[in-house]
């Protein structure tokens, strides 16, 4: 079930809260105790905009246990506009072909369900095409 | 530090061993290595294994295996570093003997994978990646490699078919290895038609899982003498390095920096350059990993790994033969055992035991074992002395 484990990460999973290093000003996501850029202590929260571009992507057909009901689905490396890269699923794609460099933005979605219908629902960030959303909003 | 030699080796075929337990497999490889060495007891046992806790519900494996092979009382430990568990266990055995603390170190890599359903195994393998930041997003281990390969193709302009020669070469060599999981050649047509697991990676880019065990006995080099058909084989270079577990945290996701670091250290220790390496048992878990490994170890320019395969430079007659016994692709990839299979195969080449895929006059061989998608990488250089 790992309820506490998911609960501990709620700020990161729901709002992309990472850190900014007070020493070298590197933006970090996910947060960590030591800045990988300068080796200093990093504890200052920083909320990312949630916008970025697709660095790479894959469509997974043979899924691990716990994700088989969703297959096939697309996972991407998303380069956030502030610098760091995150791994996340792409969602709301419709008929759109995924391309490297495609602008995307963070949305909150169900990541997985633990166990049966009474199991824990784990929510977190996924990314959707930025342009698609803007077109839909304009309609 | 003392110079260390490999006295004997043992292995089981890689396959679906429905009728054999993890312990029986480990025992078979260990007894093979002891018989090959002409010794009956050892001072310490190092076990390379990743998944026994998850797939076999069994930890405390070092002690269990010591008892199983009739060495109750002997010091033993399991070492885990995902797919590189085998080579890292080997390196720990080496350090123990080199230090003078241990005289006879037995290293065995073992993995039992076919007792579980495929989805369970896929999820277990994924634990090699970052659970909170990669796996929660439904990424499989294949998926991680697929993200790297997709970007690599985009960055350097390669097409999927340009990677075919890695798999074709591995299968062609595996035909002649009685311990290989797959002993049938594959064609370019088959490669192009293979079904996609995680785009762009197809089943014929991917190494198969399997059950298996491989072992070696390490002793101080000054206690070993060359005999006919069994030259003295020493470990001339050994190093291990790490990178971030998560691919997204890497400075350059298309460069295996841990391979570069460990290979350079091993070259320096052995006093050689890539030009001196007669053959290279690399970690071709996926065709993209073979390309990246060749680049990071100095056999190809950045982004040009597939060129070596396209130009037939990786075949037995080529400039740098790889996967000479089938590699992970055809011999199979029993995770924690794989690094030890590579060591055993390098020894076989240096002894001249490889028949159809023997590299004439091979004197220096290299093995590189990759844990995760490049997070732990151990490189070993063996040479005939």
């Amino acid at each position: 079930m790992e309820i506490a484990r998911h609960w501990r990460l709620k700020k990161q999973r729901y709002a992309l809260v990472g850190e900014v290093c007070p020493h070298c000003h590197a933006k970090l996501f996910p947060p960590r105790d030591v800045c990988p850029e300068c080796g200093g202590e990093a504890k200052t929260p920083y909320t990312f905009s949630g916008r970025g571009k697709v660095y790479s992507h894959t469509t997974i057909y043979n899924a691990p246990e716990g994700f088989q009901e969703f297959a096939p689905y697309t996972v991407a490396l998303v380069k956030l506009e502030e610098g760091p890269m995150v791994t996340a699923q792409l969602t709301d794609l419709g008929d759109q072909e995924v391309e490297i460099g495609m602008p995307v933005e963070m949305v909150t979605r169900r990541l997985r369900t633990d166990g049966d219908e009474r199991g824990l629902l784990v929510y977190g960030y996924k990314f959707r095409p930025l342009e698609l959303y803007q077109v839909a909003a304009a309609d | 530090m003392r110079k260390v030699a490999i006295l004997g080796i043992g292995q089981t075929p890689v396959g679906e061993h429905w009728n054999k337990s993890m312990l029986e497999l480990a025992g078979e490889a260990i007894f093979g290595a002891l018989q090959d060495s002409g010794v009956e007891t050892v001072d310490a046992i190092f076990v390379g294994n990743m998944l026994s806790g998850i797939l076999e519900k069994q930890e405390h494996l070092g002690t269990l295996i010591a008892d199983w092979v009739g060495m109750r009382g002997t010091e033993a430990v399991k070492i885990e570093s995902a797919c590189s568990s085998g080579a890292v266990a080997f390196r720990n055995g080496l350090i123990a003997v080199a230090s003078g603390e241990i005289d006879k170190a037995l290293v065995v890599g073992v993995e039992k994978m076919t007792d579980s359903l495929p989805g369970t195994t896929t999820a277990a393998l994924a634990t090699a990646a970052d659970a909170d930041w990669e796996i929660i997003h439904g990424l499989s281990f294949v998926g991680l490699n697929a993200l790297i390969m997709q970007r690599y193709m985009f960055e350097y302009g390669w097409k999927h078919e340009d990677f075919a020669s890695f798999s074709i070469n591995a299968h062609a060599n595996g035909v002649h290895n009685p311990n290989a999981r797959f002993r049938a050649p594959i064609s370019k047509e088959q490669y192009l038609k293979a079904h996609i697991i995680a785009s762009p990676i197809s089943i014929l880019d991917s190494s198969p899982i399997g059950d298996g065990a491989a072992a070696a006995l390490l002793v101080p080099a000054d206690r070993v003498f060359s005999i006919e058909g069994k030259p003295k084989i020493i470990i001339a270079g050994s190093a291990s390095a790490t990178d971030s577990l998560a691919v997204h945290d890497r400075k350059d996701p298309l460069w295996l920096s841990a391979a570069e670091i460990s290979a350079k250290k091993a070259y320096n220790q052995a006093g050689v350059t890539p030009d001196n390496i007669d053959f290279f048992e690399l970690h071709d878990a996926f065709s993209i990993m073979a390309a990246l490994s060749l680049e990071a170890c100095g056999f190809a320019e950045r982004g040009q790994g597939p060129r070596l395969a396209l130009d037939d430079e990786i075949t037995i007659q080529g400039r740098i033969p790889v996967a000479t016994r089938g590699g992970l692709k055809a011999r199979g990839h029993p995770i924690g055992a794989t690094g030890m299979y590579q060591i055993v195969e390098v020894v076989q080449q240096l002894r001249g035991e490889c028949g159809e895929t023997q590299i004439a006059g091979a004197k220096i061989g290299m093995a590189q074992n990759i844990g995760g998608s490049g997070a732990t990488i151990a490189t070993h250089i063996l040479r005939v002395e």
Side-chain angles (χ1 to χ4, degrees):
Chain A
M1 290 290 280
E2 303 181 311
I3 291 172
R5 182 177 188 172
H6 295 303
W7 171 80
R8 275 199 303 277
L9 297 174
K10 61 187 184 301
K11 283 185 184 168
Q12 288 78 45
R13 293 254 175 86
Y14 300 162
L16 277 183
V17 176
E19 283 168 344
V20 57
C21 175
H23 311 286
C24 74
H25 309 293
K27 309 278 191 347
L28 308 175
F29 190 89
R32 37 169 79 219
D33 287 347
V34 178
C35 173
E37 299 297 327
C38 73
E41 193 184 21
K43 290 239 162 151
T44 314
Y46 178 88
T47 303
F48 285 81
S49 69
R51 285 185 297 274
K53 286 180 176 170
V54 173
Y55 173 86
S56 192
H57 58 91
T58 178
T59 301
I60 292 180
Y61 296 92
N62 293 38
E65 219 167 38
F67 294 93
Q68 285 158 331
E69 61 178 303
F70 303 110
Y73 52 90
T74 301
V75 181
L77 290 172
V78 174
K79 180 95 172 147
L80 300 175
E81 62 184 12
E82 296 90 347
M85 193 123 75
V86 295
T87 300
Q89 281 190 29
L90 297 184
T91 186
D92 304 6
L93 285 167
D95 296 331
Q96 195 165 358
E97 284 276 315
V98 179
E99 283 178 9
I100 288 174
M102 189 171 99
V104 291
E105 69 174 353
M106 178 232 177
V107 287
T108 304
R109 293 284 188 274
R110 181 164 57 95
L111 298 182
R112 61 171 289 168
T113 308
D114 281 346
D116 57 17
E117 71 274 9
R118 296 174 64 82
L120 185 68
L121 303 179
V122 181
Y123 285 86
Y125 51 83
K126 293 188 182 183
F127 285 77
R128 68 179 171 195
L130 191 56
E131 285 161 349
L132 186 78
Y133 167 71
Q134 285 171 337
V135 170
D139 284 344
Chain B
M1 297 288 261
R2 300 192 287 188
K3 199 187 280 183
V4 179
I6 298 176
L7 191 58
I9 53 172
Q11 62 181 314
T12 75
V14 177
E16 299 185 7
H17 293 290
W18 306 113
N19 58 342
K20 283 181 189 162
S21 70
M22 176 171 58
L23 289 176
E24 289 172 298
L25 291 166
E28 207 172 305
I30 289 172
F31 293 129
L34 292 176
Q35 194 177 20
D36 189 39
S37 306
V39 304
E40 287 178 357
T41 60
V42 302
D43 302 320
I45 301 172
F46 296 85
V47 177
N49 171 273
M50 175 186 175
L51 298 169
S52 71
I54 302 176
L55 296 184
E56 293 289 298
K57 311 285 185 289
Q58 180 67 63
E59 284 292 9
H60 215 165
L61 203 54
T63 302
L64 189 63
I65 287 175
D67 189 20
W68 178 260
V69 296
M71 295 194 212
R72 194 180 295 181
T74 302
E75 176 177 4
V77 65
K78 162 177 161 168
I79 288 167
E80 189 279 321
S81 62
C83 315
S84 64
S85 301
V88 173
F90 182 75
R91 181 165 154 72
N92 277 269
L94 165 70
I95 292 169
V97 177
S99 74
E101 178 74 14
I102 298 289
D103 276 339
K104 286 181 286 183
L106 178 72
V107 188
V108 61
V110 61
E111 206 73 70
K112 179 71 186 171
M113 307 182 74
T114 62
D115 283 347
S116 337
L117 293 170
T120 308
T121 312
T122 304
L125 286 169
T127 62
D130 194 316
D132 285 338
W133 309 108
E134 292 184 318
I135 300 315
I136 190 66
H137 298 290
L139 207 48
S140 62
F141 201 63
V142 189
L144 275 162
N145 284 273
L147 287 171
I148 296 172
M149 187 169 182
Q150 185 86 276
R151 181 72 193 195
Y152 184 90
M153 288 162 60
F154 171 83
E155 201 84 45
Y156 299 111
W158 296 107
K159 298 192 289 293
H160 180 248
E161 65 178 272
D162 296 329
F163 292 82
S165 303
F166 287 114
S167 302
I168 292 168
N169 172 65
H171 275 261
N173 292 340
V175 168
H176 306 288
N177 178 1
N179 293 309
R181 168 132 196 213
F182 293 141
R183 300 193 63 195
I186 60 165
S187 66
K188 178 124 186 220
E189 289 66 39
Q190 285 172 302
Y191 178 87
L192 294 175
K193 280 189 204 153
H195 92 262
I196 302 293
I197 305 171
S199 59
I201 290 181
S202 80
I203 190 90
L204 287 185
D205 288 302
S206 315
S207 57
I209 64 149
D211 306 327
L217 188 78
L218 299 173
V219 295
D222 58 10
R223 299 190 197 171
V224 181
F225 303 96
S226 282
I227 54 171
E228 183 65 29
K230 208 174 157 190
K232 177 174 173 177
I233 293 166
I234 61 146
I235 299 145
S238 167
S240 186
T242 60
D243 200 344
S244 68
L245 212 62
V247 172
H248 58 234
D249 281 335
R250 304 224 174 116
K251 288 247 184 296
D252 180 357
L254 304 183
W255 185 253
L256 296 178
S257 68
E260 182 186 8
I261 295 168
S262 65
K264 278 184 175 164
K265 278 189 184 170
Y267 290 145
N268 281 338
Q269 291 165 8
V272 299
T273 69
D275 288 342
N276 302 120
I277 304 294
D278 294 321
F279 62 99
F280 181 21
E281 293 304 335
L282 49 63
H283 191 95
D284 54 335
F286 302 95
S287 51
I288 180 66
M289 278 296 131
L292 294 181
S293 180
L294 285 165
E295 292 169 24
C297 296
F299 296 104
E301 294 294 316
R302 182 183 286 257
Q304 297 305 308
R307 175 57 53 201
L308 283 179
L310 286 168
D311 292 348
D312 286 337
E313 299 280 22
I314 60 165
T315 62
I316 296 299
Q317 291 77 28
R319 181 160 67 86
I320 179 67
V322 307
T324 71
R325 304 293 275 160
L328 279 64
K329 178 70 198 79
R331 174 240 297 131
H333 185 18
I335 309 301
T338 292
M340 285 308 298
Y341 274 96
Q342 294 176 314
I343 296 288
V344 162
E345 289 160 359
V346 172
V347 170
Q348 288 184 311
Q349 278 287 358
L350 296 178
R351 283 180 178 180
E353 294 175 349
C354 294
E356 297 282 326
T357 61
Q358 179 63 44
I359 293 149
K363 292 282 183 277
I364 302 177
M366 184 158 104
Q368 185 169 74
N369 194 195
I370 303 183
S373 47
T376 306
I377 305 188
T379 307
H380 286 94
I381 297 173
L382 275 50
R383 108 191 294 167
V384 175
E385 192 178 76

